[in-house]
Amino acid sequence: MGIFSGLMGNASQQDAQKVRAELDSILLTEEEVEMAFSLVRDLIVFTDYRLILVDKQGMTGKKASYKSIPYGSISRFTVETSGHFDLDAELKLWISSAVEPAEVLQFKSDDSVVAIQKALAAAVLLK
């Protein structure tokens, strides 16, 4: 069901060591992947230093965009769960004192967005 969930827009948790190997070229030598989620081909990666959003592009996914957000620069975030008529859940991130969110991530499952929100809260609030 993991592949089907990914295709339907649900994030699924990934093995941190496999993601570490995949992102080895962009991670610092001592940087560790603490948790990762895949959303179709894209990744949401929590390391001990930052949040990395990987946007794989094109037919093969060979081209990728890596957005690195240090936890200290995340000023706030919101989670909107799905309802009866609005079936998408949303996570919004604000950087420093920006008026508009720097990132808006959409999910088809409350479970996915709640798990990611918990990981984000632990990373931002406890570090």
Side-chain angles (χ1 to χ4, degrees):
M1 178 140 181
I3 292 173
F4 184 70
S5 292
L7 292 174
M8 296 305 294
N10 293 334
S12 55
Q13 194 160 356
Q14 299 297 303
D15 180 75
Q17 294 306 317
K18 288 181 183 176
V19 172
R20 172 71 169 100
E22 182 180 337
L23 298 180
D24 192 52
S25 63
I26 68 161
L27 295 174
L28 300 172
T29 306
E30 68 280 358
E31 191 171 14
E32 293 297 324
V33 171
E34 295 181 343
M35 190 177 298
F37 296 87
S38 67
L39 186 59
V40 187
R41 295 185 304 174
D42 299 341
L43 289 171
I44 302 166
V45 181
F46 294 89
T47 74
D48 47 349
Y49 297 127
R50 59 188 165 158
L51 174 66
I52 302 171
L53 304 174
V54 182
D55 179 14
K56 295 185 180 177
Q57 304 165 2
M59 292 290 289
T60 62
K62 209 170 191 182
K63 181 178 179 180
S65 169
Y66 301 92
K67 184 180 272 190
S68 179
I69 305 171
Y71 295 127
S73 69
I74 299 173
S75 60
R76 66 187 190 271
F77 53 92
T78 64
V79 172
E80 181 180 301
T81 59
S82 58
H84 291 293
F85 298 107
D86 182 9
L87 301 177
D88 291 337
E90 250 181 12
L91 173 69
K92 294 180 183 178
L93 298 172
W94 280 264
I95 305 300
S96 299
S97 60
V99 175
E100 296 296 320
E103 202 62 45
V104 177
L105 304 171
Q106 292 190 333
F107 304 88
K108 300 288 182 197
S109 164
D110 286 350
D111 294 340
S112 302
V113 75
V114 169
I116 291 170
Q117 183 274 338
K118 282 183 180 181
L120 184 60
V124 172
L125 302 174
L126 300 177
K127 292 193 180 203

